[in-house]
């Protein structure tokens, strides 16, 4: 079966971590949006690659302010994540109010208090395409939940962090039974 047309347009078979991208509006109110197209690149240090499509308040705020926090979502935040992904307008403000937020340490953006992993990022380069943008970002700060840190802060246990993942139209999580062994 040839699925090229489908695959090129919407087929994302591999799991992606879900993040709540956090920014502040011009008047200082927090805004959040679900994002999952996040990866890394190396250019004089580790950086974040972020792709966002459409017209989102968080996207406009990020382009204006140049800073954002990528707050990883955990299994425990599933209900809020689901509501955030489906809400718009005034309903979105009600959903955002369900999250415990505080100012980030290194950038002017809101972070989720209960997030198991937070990347504070600043915009280095914005590549604009038809309908979407690819952002190359510097990492200004990283913070994690204590439960996810091991070996006195030397390693991060992704299973303990219990990240919320998405693949095609399903949410999923990692479990200890899914760990096969150490990576090279």
């Amino acid at each position: 079966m040839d699925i090229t047309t489908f695959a090129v347009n919407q087929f994302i078979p591999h799991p992606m971590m879900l993040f709540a991208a956090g920014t502040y509006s011009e008047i200082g109110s927090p805004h959040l949006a679900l994002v999952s197209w996040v990866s890394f690149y190396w250019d004089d240090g580790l950086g974040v690659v972020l792709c966002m499509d459409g017209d989102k308040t968080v996207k406009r705020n990020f382009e204006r302010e140049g800073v954002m926090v990528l707050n990883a979502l955990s299994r425990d935040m599933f209900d809020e994540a689901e509501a955030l992904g489906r809400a718009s307008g005034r309903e979105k403000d009600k959903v955002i109010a369900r999250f415990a937020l505080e100012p980030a340490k290194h950038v002017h953006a809101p972070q989720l208090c209960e997030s198991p992993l937070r990347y504070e990022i600043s915009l280095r380069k914005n590549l604009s395409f038809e309908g979407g943008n690819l952002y190359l970002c510097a990492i200004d700060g990283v913070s994690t939940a204590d439960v996810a840190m091991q070996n006195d802060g030397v390693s991060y246990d992704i299973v303990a962090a219990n990240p919320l993942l998405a693949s095609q139209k399903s949410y999923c999580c990692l479990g200890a039974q899914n760990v096969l062994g150490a990576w090279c």
Side-chain angles (χ1 to χ4, degrees), residues 17-64:
M17 281 182 68
L18 283 177
F19 294 86
T23 61
Y24 287 122
S25 71
E26 290 176 325
I27 61 169
S29 61
H31 287 272
L32 300 174
L34 287 183
V35 297
S36 58
W37 298 343
V38 176
S39 192
F40 301 93
Y41 75 104
W42 187 268
D43 182 22
D44 193 30
L46 186 63
V48 168
V49 177
L50 169 65
C51 184
M52 294 180 75
D53 66 344
D55 181 33
K56 297 172 176 61
T57 302
V58 163
K59 186 176 167 182
R60 289 191 308 271
N61 291 343
F62 182 49
E63 290 177 358
R64 186 188 70 252

Side-chain angles (χ1 to χ4, degrees), residues 135-161:
Y135 304 104
L136 301 180
C137 307
I139 300 172
D140 298 306
V142 179
S143 55
T144 65
D146 291 339
V147 69
M149 292 308 299
Q150 294 189 343
N151 302 324
D152 295 323
V154 174
S155 62
Y156 182 77
D157 183 349
I158 195 166
V159 174

